[in-house]
Amino acid sequence: MPSTEKFYLTTPIYYVNARPHIGHAYTTIVADVIARRHRLLGHDTRFLTGTDEHGQKIERSALAAGIPPQQFTDEVSREFRQLWDRMGLTYDDYIRTTEPRHKIGAQKLFADLHARGQIYLSTYTGQYSVGEEIFVEGPPGVLGPDGRPTETVTEENFFFKLSEYQLPLIDLIESDGLHIQSESRKNEVLSFLRGNLVEARESGSAIGTSKLGNQYVIGALRDLSVSRSSFTWGIPVPEPAASETQQKHIIYVWLDALANYMTAVGYGSDKPEDKACFERYWPADVHLMSKEITRQHCIYWPAFLMAAKLPTPKSVTAHGWLLFEESKMSKSKGNIVRAETVLDAFGEHVYGKQFPDSTKHERDLFSADVLRYHLLREIPFGQDGSFSFDAMITRYNADLANGYGNLASRTLSLIVQNLDGIVPSVSAPQSAETDAVINELLSFSEIDAHYESSRFDQLTQTISARIKTVDVYLSSHAPWKLAKSEDPADLQKMVEVLYTAAESIRILTALLFPFLPNATAKVWAQLGLGDIEAAARNGELNNLAWGGLKPGTPLGTLSPIFPRADKGLAQIMTEVEASAPSTKPATEQPAAETTPAPAVIETAPEPTVTGPADASPQITIDDFAKVELRVAQVLVCERIPKADKLLRLEVDLGYEKRQILSGIAEWYTPEEMIGRKIVVITNLAPRKMRGLESHGMLLAASEGEGGKPVLATFGEEIAVGSRLK
Ligand code: MSP
């Protein structure tokens, strides 16, 4: 067993009901930065990511796609993994909840909790949010956390005695036994656990006191349903619990999913090597995620573990959301940006232009650095941050092309031109300015503190400021002028300045390595230092004393690191995103949709009354059968800011819920629409309007050019989802 300190880091396992977008990429990139940093520190690091593949949402998506759930999840899970590989992310393991190793472990955890009397059978009626896969408090129809109406579910379920863990959880979190980053997330979780004290005081409910002396409402935490029986796509509840009921139950998707963090390190296996792995890595050091799933990670998860007498994770770190056009990027809203768009555009139009013979892999890694740096530098960690292509290009040109890349190219070219490309030795005592640069470069405590608090924006900003310091130092001493002087003192100064700049670049490169693994590898090689990955492994990037760049070292071959990006690239990326067929997996798209959907009433309605003999060509019944028309019910309807004609609708098709944008805002108010049954063309390719995805089209008729479109409805009762033929 290795003697070094271990560090086990996880990302959430992502749902496979839609393709990855840069929100998912953000978390996985942050995890990659943290993992690389810990490897530099010499820790035995294990970085886990993967996909969450069970649950009703995924079952419904597969159903809508018309393929078996396993095939569906195989395809989407592969897409996530391929994206992480394209970006060179260094996960050590990729877990899928449909893998046997996971199923065995999840069943073991369930069985263990049951054997310990922590799980019991009971009946429950409640409001279930399919989108978030959780029960929600409130009356029928209450909106779930995803803003969609919940479904009323009555089921015989297995329940976990979560209520018994209210005080243990409060004590664990208050004492930082489970450290929650940030403080505000910690307070949110604690206030949920403590319950509504004001109400409790008024009503005279029982109030208890935690170890640290804080009050809480006794009983504010309810037991949790941990099985489902209304659908089948999940891990079966194991024996002996399974025999307690007639119905087949599957394990609640969150209990299934959370268990991945342990099943990936061997929990549930009898093999000695798996047991040793579990001993070594469990508990996790950091579970990383964005804020909406902290409750599951800070309440359910540690409670399951305490109940199973297993160690609880050391910390949960939550970041904010990536926003696009002011709202959370999410697959259900369709307002997403895909990482592939950035990889393709920077790869082709920036790197590919400079290096036309480069491979796709080289282009991808170059572009991945650009995306990594932008996301970490731009978004204050823990807060929501807007994503914009313009900001990304501006930041790239300022910090990378004109900043780090330019400093490296300038300094190294000067050494090639004036010192035959060999690192010089500095003999005479150095000037005060040189000493000041060295001191600034060697102050690592600020960097360490930023890592500690996950302030990646400030960390990269600090490094950027140091790049500027060296740049100013270089420019103010103008070594290119000193090189032309006959005076030996000037030549000595030139050597001092160039050595100082080159050695500073070595240190900056080591600091930037977790953020820009590809670009720093190139600079490292150009400095004549060889393979940066090897340097990372042998501790060279962590022990940064001045003078690591040895005099006499020949520089490597120079080439541009960050070619400038044209502002027009933002437009290219915007257009690529706007024409992206869908954020949904390929399998969910109608196969035959290659031509754009006709602009009937989604954009500007231009309805006309035309006779049957109008120019339309005749079609066969088979042609008509290609159009899928279904009865849908409007669940949500709202206006879209700054789009006078458009309404955003969420409709229920029985087998799934959809977002459709429709240009009827001039004729129908959102209030008139909610609850209405309408006819929707369901197999139109999704498309984007105002950054939002519209998946389907409403049917309406209108009298004459520009007349009011009257929605097609039914005179008799008809079930949602029924097909019109
Ligand atoms: N499957 C659950 C997690 C189970 S973990 C045991 C899930 N999956 S998800 O696909 O919805 O992914 C959620 C995670 O993806 C977030 O917690 C975050 O890490 C990342 N993000 C998804 N959209 C995001 C943004 N718009 N912004 C930032 N991160 C986001 O929840």
Side-chain angles (χ1 to χ4, degrees), residues 24-228:
H24 306 112
Y26 177 52
T27 313
T28 322
I29 286 172
V30 171
D32 191 67
V33 170
I34 298 175
R36 285 177 188 268
R37 152 85 172 169
H38 279 270
R39 292 191 195 111
L40 291 188
L41 295 175
H43 298 161
D44 169 17
T45 303
R46 198 171 176 101
F47 161 18
L48 173 73
T49 190
T51 43
D52 189 352
E53 307 188 2
H54 291 130
Q56 195 161 17
K57 182 161 58 171
I58 289 157
E59 186 179 60
R60 284 183 181 177
S61 299
L63 195 72
I67 54 171
Q70 187 62 59
Q71 182 189 338
F72 180 82
T73 61
D74 286 349
E75 284 170 18
V76 187
S77 180
R78 193 178 317 120
E79 281 197 48
F80 272 90
R81 191 170 185 155
Q82 279 168 350
L83 177 61
W84 308 150
D85 291 341
R86 253 190 102 172
M87 292 199 287
L89 303 184
T90 56
Y91 56 90
D92 297 289
D93 193 1
Y94 188 89
I95 183 116
R96 300 183 52 195
T97 54
T98 50
E99 284 177 76
R101 64 168 171 159
H102 173 75
K103 290 187 193 168
I104 292 168
Q107 286 186 324
K108 175 179 157 141
L109 180 60
F110 192 100
D112 192 40
L113 291 170
H114 182 259
R116 291 172 189 273
Q118 303 293 308
I119 283 180
Y120 60 92
L121 194 66
S122 180
T123 301
Y124 181 75
T125 298
Q127 298 308 120
Y128 195 72
S129 157
V130 175
E132 301 289 322
E133 301 280 13
I134 50 170
F135 276 103
V136 174
E137 300 266 332
V142 65
L143 297 186
D146 57 356
R148 290 160 179 248
T150 50
E151 295 180 16
T152 305
V153 171
T154 299
E155 281 184 3
E156 187 186 49
N157 275 330
F158 286 99
F159 281 80
F160 168 68
K161 291 183 181 169
L162 183 62
S163 56
E164 292 189 357
Y165 293 90
Q166 185 185 11
L167 182 57
L169 284 167
I170 293 175
D171 287 337
L172 179 76
I173 295 168
E174 283 184 350
S175 66
D176 263 351
L178 169 64
H179 177 67
I180 303 176
Q181 201 178 55
S182 60
E183 199 58 24
S184 62
R185 298 275 157 257
K186 175 176 169 177
N187 290 335
E188 263 171 37
V189 172
L190 279 172
S191 82
F192 180 83
L193 282 169
R194 289 174 187 146
N196 190 334
L197 280 156
V198 177
E199 230 171 56
R201 280 187 202 113
E202 277 168 12
S203 64
S205 304
I207 289 177
T209 308
S210 72
K211 264 193 199 144
L212 286 191
N214 295 309
Q215 293 192 321
Y216 68 96
V217 183
I218 294 172
L221 197 59
R222 305 260 186 85
D223 287 355
L224 179 73
S225 151
V226 286
S227 75
R228 302 293 312 276

Side-chain angles (χ1 to χ4, degrees), residues 522-678:
K522 288 189 177 161
V523 174
W524 199 256
Q526 293 186 18
L527 283 165
L529 295 167
D531 179 8
I532 201 165
E533 296 283 348
R537 280 192 299 275
N538 69 23
E540 251 177 87
L541 302 193
N542 188 35
N543 300 310
L544 294 170
W546 191 259
L549 191 57
K550 296 286 174 254
T553 307
L555 297 186
T557 313
L558 304 193
S559 71
I561 307 294
F562 290 117
R564 274 189 67 84
D566 201 89
K567 271 275 176 203
L569 197 56
Q571 188 56 29
I572 294 177
M573 291 190 281
T574 306
E575 280 164 17
V576 169
E577 271 308 321
S579 62
S582 170
T583 61
K584 301 235 167 69
T587 42
E588 271 186 84
Q589 287 172 46
E593 277 299 340
T594 44
T595 43
V600 183
I601 52 173
E602 288 131 315
T603 44
E606 292 174 36
T608 48
V609 176
T610 50
D614 190 44
S616 313
Q618 288 197 339
I619 59 166
T620 65
I621 190 77
D622 290 343
D623 289 333
F624 175 66
K626 285 185 195 153
V627 182
E628 193 179 298
L629 299 167
R630 285 187 190 271
V631 179
Q633 186 157 30
V634 181
L635 300 172
V636 175
C637 183
E638 59 187 21
R639 294 186 187 281
I640 299 177
K642 295 191 215 129
D644 298 345
K645 295 190 173 155
L646 285 181
L647 288 184
R648 188 182 81 82
L649 295 97
E650 285 176 33
V651 302
D652 185 6
L653 285 167
Y655 56 91
E656 73 166 38
K657 305 211 170 65
R658 293 260 184 106
Q659 170 171 284
I660 298 179
L661 304 190
S662 183
I664 52 172
E666 287 172 71
W667 294 281
Y668 288 92
T669 63
E671 297 71 38
E672 281 175 89
M673 294 299 295
I674 293 172
R676 216 173 166 130
K677 281 191 181 156
I678 52 169

